[in-house]
Amino acid sequence: PDGSGIDLLKEFKADRPTLPAICMSGYGSESDLSATAEAGIFCHLVKPVTVQRLRQAIIEASSSGSSGR
């Protein structure tokens, strides 16, 4: 309640910088995509998301060996 999802993701990445994070939201605006990229989020999925696309993102994140792309 004290912040946005982006704020939470930034805290998460500050605590675990090498762990790839996947964000899913109902918004795909340039500002949202830019904010998640700046926060070091591996992938920003925009709803609706298929199970296949989510699975693909998880596989890519788990094999990336990095915190972002």
Side-chain angles (χ1 to χ4, degrees):
D2 294 335
S4 70
I6 300 295
D7 294 332
L8 179 62
L9 288 168
K10 286 179 182 178
E11 287 184 37
F12 175 78
K13 290 299 290 179
D15 191 46
R16 311 273 309 252
T18 62
L19 189 64
I22 298 170
C23 172
M24 182 173 14
S25 74
Y27 305 100
S29 70
E30 276 300 314
S31 62
D32 287 338
L33 296 173
S34 176
T36 54
E38 288 176 18
I41 304 309
F42 180 82
C43 182
H44 183 143
L45 301 174
V46 179
K47 296 176 188 176
V49 177
T50 64
V51 171
Q52 180 180 11
R53 178 62 187 112
L54 178 59
R55 182 179 296 132
Q56 178 185 358
I58 293 168
I59 290 168
E60 290 172 4
S62 65
S63 64
S64 73
S66 69
S67 61
R69 56 173 154 160

